[in-house]
Amino acid sequence: MHFCRYLEMLQASEGSHPRPLIRGWSPDEIRLVRHLLRRAYRSSGLHGVPIREYGAILTNQAVGNHAATHIREALASSLPRRVKFCAAPGSGYPDNLLHIPRRDGDLTIALEVKATSHWDAKDSNRRVLTSSSRKLRQLFELPVPHLICTVIYHRGSGCIEDIRLDFIAPESEVSVRFEASTSHRLLDTGQHQRSLLFAA
């Protein structure tokens, strides 16, 4: 199912009048975000550094949570001062937002950070995105572009090897089970732009 269709159905199931919650990316926006995050990644010193407290983390979900916080703080401090990469207040999707001031109109992005020790394009394990539209409707001027950052780390050492960017499109495929999720396979075959910050 296309992500935009899922979001329409989700709002209807919540008793809300469906509004567009996602829009596509322009080529210029993709280039800008890729450039800003790649530069921040390279200057942050994240590459080859373990995820904070990796040795004490017991579950994959905890690894993801620690990775998200670690990446957000490191990249935020390495981005230009006017660019804001911060936690989105409240629970639910998205966990973060990226705000980029521009002369022709500011760009605000719904941003989710995931983590994996191995990117496998054939892996269809679910990666939950959202089961509620409330946060999107409350926090953002809609519709907004959506971005998934996947931290790729070494399973043994926890060292960060790369960060993958998936520029989610309204037509990106999601699995639906009363919530939207994605997988390495869907992200790898989806109708959206993608790039790696280090292996460019």
Side-chain angles (χ1 to χ4, degrees):
M1 179 181 293
H2 290 168
F3 194 30
C4 61
R5 176 59 180 147
Y6 166 74
L7 291 172
E8 290 174 1
M9 293 173 60
L10 177 62
Q11 292 177 85
S13 72
E14 294 169 337
S16 301
H17 178 70
R19 293 186 286 164
L21 301 182
I22 181 173
R23 69 164 177 80
W25 292 82
S26 73
D28 285 345
E29 289 171 341
I30 290 173
R31 281 191 291 270
L32 173 63
V33 171
R34 185 185 290 137
H35 170 73
L36 286 171
L37 292 181
R38 180 175 289 149
R39 233 170 71 175
Y41 179 72
R42 289 176 173 170
S43 64
S44 67
L46 280 170
H47 188 73
V49 172
I51 295 169
R52 189 181 303 140
E53 300 178 16
Y54 180 75
I57 301 172
L58 301 178
T59 67
N60 289 336
Q61 182 175 351
V63 170
N65 293 340
H66 277 74
T69 302
H70 188 176
I71 292 299
R72 182 178 63 241
E73 292 174 354
L75 292 183
S77 65
S78 300
L79 286 164
R81 188 168 51 185
R82 295 181 64 213
V83 176
K84 184 168 68 170
F85 181 1
C86 61
S91 61
Y93 175 86
D95 288 335
N96 308 278
L97 63 84
L98 180 64
H99 181 80
I100 305 171
R102 300 184 299 175
R103 289 180 182 174
D104 56 345
D106 293 357
L107 176 62
T108 302
I109 299 157
L111 193 156
E112 189 79 358
V113 178
K114 301 291 186 181
T116 184
S117 61
H118 175 65
W119 184 271
D120 180 357
K122 297 179 181 177
D123 180 2
S124 58
N125 286 326
R126 301 171 74 249
R127 306 172 74 204
V128 175
L129 292 178
T130 181
S131 57
S132 170
S133 69
R134 178 186 55 80
K135 194 170 179 179
L136 280 168
R137 289 185 286 106
Q138 289 181 349
L139 285 186
F140 295 90
E141 186 175 330
L142 301 167
V144 293
H146 295 238
L147 177 67
I148 297 178
C149 296
T150 302
V151 181
I152 304 171
Y153 64 92
H154 185 272
R155 181 182 294 277
S157 65
C159 290
I160 296 167
E161 297 177 334
D162 214 328
I163 299 178
R164 176 186 166 112
L165 306 179
D166 282 274
F167 297 86
I168 303 303
E171 299 78 20
S172 292
E173 290 287 336
V174 294
S175 300
V176 176
R177 194 189 298 169
F178 300 108
E179 61 191 7
S181 66
T182 189
S183 67
H184 293 184
R185 181 180 60 80
L186 286 173
L187 289 177
D188 216 65
T189 59
Q191 299 300 308
H192 61 265
Q193 295 291 317
R194 56 189 66 80
S195 65
L196 291 168
L197 294 184
F198 184 75

